[in-house]
């Protein structure tokens, strides 16, 4: 078990490098998530790992630690209503303006969210005579989940979480080691490594941002910083989707709540 001093130091390391807040009495969580990494790098205990992190300028170990501690819980069309709002309300409004649309899927994990967005766009195109000029950027700070997302390959368990049989048949092909997203969907999404603690200025402007079910792991100050950063990357009238349990009003006044029959979203003031 990790002693109190090592746990406090490791908690500060995570908060400083990626904003994640462990809270109190989570020593067992840290021990379980780092156990495989300790064995791989031949560290006897977390104290040795912390010493190596302080000593080494090699970003590989730091990246592997973050990968181990990052929660990557996701599914296709998670909660469903944001994708219905996108299909029924947001896309028709923005595409009617005949301008390119940029969508950012922040903290995209292994790719289910941005690929779900791409499927919605493909379904919209199937019922309209014009091609949707939409670019999707998906970012995450974990190299491991980004590699999986770029591959577009998913196993039998993950493929059934949130996908209807019709969508599985239409948008995936069965291969020897699982199920692969078809090129028409995979090519719609560009993946890029990004730490939400860093600047977003180089990403450019977006009309739609998905930042869902990730901010619950951050401190109040970090949430304010992230919402402010997202707001700067959106012009007035842009749409933001957050998790169903994530309140924004306590951290920024840059957005107003819009309610639709399918659920709520946020609009840049």
């Amino acid at each position: 078990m990790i002693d109190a001093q090592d746990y406090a130091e490791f908690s500060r390391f995570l908060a400083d490098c990626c904003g994640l807040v462990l809270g109190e009495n989570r020593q067992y969580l840290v021990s379980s998530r780092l156990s495989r990494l300790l064995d791989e790098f031949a560290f006897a205990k977390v104290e040795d790992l912390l010493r190596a992190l302080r000593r080494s300028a090699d970003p590989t170990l730091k990246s592997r630690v973050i990968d181990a501690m990052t929660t990557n819980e996701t599914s296709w069309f998670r909660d469903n209503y944001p994708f219905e709002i996108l299909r029924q309300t947001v896309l028709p409004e923005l595409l009617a303006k005949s301008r390119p649309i940029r969508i950012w899927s922040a903290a995209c994990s292994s790719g289910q969210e941005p690929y779900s967005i791409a499927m919605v766009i493909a379904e919209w195109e199937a019922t309209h005579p014009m091609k949707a000029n939409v670019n999707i950027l998906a970012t995450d700070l974990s190299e491991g989940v980004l590699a999986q997302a770029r591959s577009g390959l998913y196993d039998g368990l993950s493929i059934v979480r949130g996908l209807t049989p019709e969508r599985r048949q239409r948008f995936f092909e069965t291969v020897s080691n699982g199920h692969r997203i078809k090129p028409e969907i995979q090519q719609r999404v560009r993946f890029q490594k990004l730490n939400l603690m860093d600047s977003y200025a180089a990403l450019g402007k977006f009309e739609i941002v998905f930042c869902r079910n990730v901010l619950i792991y951050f401190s109040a100050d970090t949430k304010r910083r992230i919402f402010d950063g997202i707001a700067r990357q959106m012009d007035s009238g842009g749409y933001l989707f957050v998790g169903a349990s994530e309140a924004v009003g306590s951290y920024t006044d840059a957005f107003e709540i819009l309610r639709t029959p399918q659920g709520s979203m946020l609009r840049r003031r």
Side-chain angles (χ1 to χ4, degrees), residues 222-263:
T222 302
K223 289 177 183 177
R224 291 188 189 96
R225 176 178 170 183
I226 290 173
F227 281 128
D228 286 344
I230 290 173
R232 284 193 292 271
Q233 301 312 121
M234 304 178 72
D235 291 325
S236 177
Y239 294 101
L240 170 64
F241 293 93
V242 297
S245 62
E246 294 174 319
V248 174
S250 301
Y251 308 107
T252 180
D253 59 1
F255 297 91
E256 60 180 336
I257 299 175
L258 292 183
R259 292 179 172 83
T260 75
Q262 295 78 33

Side-chain angles (χ1 to χ4, degrees), residues 13-14 31 82 84 143 161 175 226 247 260:
F13 162 78
L14 271 188
S31 296
E84 282 303 301
E143 294 279 13
R161 297 188 61 197
V175 293
I226 290 173
T260 75

Side-chain angles (χ1 to χ4, degrees), residues 104-198:
W104 176 20
S105 171
C108 69
S109 188
S110 46
Q112 283 89 331
E113 180 178 88
Y115 284 140
S116 295
I117 295 169
M119 291 179 206
V120 170
I121 295 167
E123 289 169 346
W124 185 92
E125 288 180 337
T127 59
H128 292 77
M130 60 181 287
K131 181 174 176 60
N133 190 354
V134 181
N135 296 297
I136 304 169
L137 174 67
T139 67
D140 201 280
L141 101 130
S142 168
E143 294 279 13
V145 296
L146 285 174
Q148 180 182 348
R150 289 189 183 102
S151 76
L153 183 65
Y154 298 91
D155 61 26
L157 180 62
S158 63
I159 200 68
V160 299
R161 297 188 61 197
L163 278 175
T164 63
E166 292 78 15
R167 280 172 169 157
R168 289 200 298 271
Q169 181 176 5
R170 177 176 175 184
F171 296 119
F172 291 81
E173 54 189 5
T174 301
V175 293
S176 59
N177 53 345
H179 305 268
R180 190 184 302 279
I181 290 272
K182 289 185 178 179
E184 67 174 276
I185 298 300
Q186 191 171 16
Q187 293 167 5
R188 293 173 183 262
V189 183
R190 180 171 66 88
F191 292 95
Q192 177 179 325
K193 183 176 181 180
L194 178 76
N195 188 334
L196 288 175
M197 298 290 285
D198 296 338

